[in-house]
Amino acid sequence: MLWQAYIDDHLMCDIDCHHLTVAAILGHHGSFKPEEITAIMKDFDEPGSLAPTQLHLGGTKNVVIKGKSGAGSGGVTVKKTGQALVFGIYEEPLTPAQCNMLVERLGDYLIDQGL
């Protein structure tokens, strides 16, 4: 399945004249390192499992913080659908809430479509 139109139209759109730094939709067996996807998928089954080891994404280590703001100048939101992982990576001035809204909204739509 080609995800580019979803990325362009729904994730990389402007919010208050700002947009995500990077956005991606990957099948559950995506193009990141297998151990990165495995760790992310495990955290959906066992919430909190990424926090002690941190999230590695594209070889970059990211601190996992849930429900806290002001922890840095950017972050990532990941939403799991039936067939894919939706990623949104942001930097300030975009806020965590704005990133979450974009990723969650598209993820919910894909789930509703059986994707």
Side-chain angles (χ1 to χ4, degrees), residues 25-36:
I25 303 173
L26 301 173
H28 287 177
H29 304 288
S31 61
F32 287 112
K33 294 179 182 178
E35 59 272 16
E36 293 173 339

Side-chain angles (χ1 to χ4, degrees), residues 35-65:
E35 59 272 16
E36 293 173 339
I37 296 299
T38 299
I40 292 167
M41 295 293 284
K42 179 181 176 185
D43 198 66
F44 281 104
D45 294 331
E46 300 174 26
S49 65
L50 275 176
T53 61
Q54 300 186 335
L55 168 64
H56 292 80
L57 195 56
T60 301
K61 188 187 312 185
N62 298 275
V63 176
V64 175
I65 299 173

Side-chain angles (χ1 to χ4, degrees), residues 9-115:
D9 296 341
H10 301 283
L11 293 176
M12 296 305 288
C13 59
D14 280 345
I15 297 180
D16 298 331
C17 298
H18 305 292
H19 56 83
L20 295 174
T21 307
V22 177
I25 303 173
L26 301 173
H28 287 177
H29 304 288
S31 61
F32 287 112
K33 294 179 182 178
E35 59 272 16
E36 293 173 339
I37 296 299
T38 299
I40 292 167
M41 295 293 284
K42 179 181 176 185
D43 198 66
F44 281 104
D45 294 331
E46 300 174 26
S49 65
L50 275 176
T53 61
Q54 300 186 335
L55 168 64
H56 292 80
L57 195 56
T60 301
K61 188 187 312 185
N62 298 275
V63 176
V64 175
I65 299 173
K66 185 170 183 150
K68 294 185 180 180
S69 62
S73 63
V76 61
T77 296
V78 182
K79 172 85 173 184
K80 180 182 174 189
T81 72
Q83 296 181 22
L85 296 172
V86 180
F87 293 85
I89 300 173
Y90 71 93
E91 294 290 332
E92 290 180 347
L94 208 66
T95 67
Q98 290 170 318
C99 180
N100 290 344
M101 179 199 60
L102 288 172
V103 173
E104 290 285 339
R105 184 173 57 195
L106 179 57
D108 289 343
Y109 171 78
L110 294 175
I111 290 168
D112 289 345
Q113 301 303 308
L115 302 171

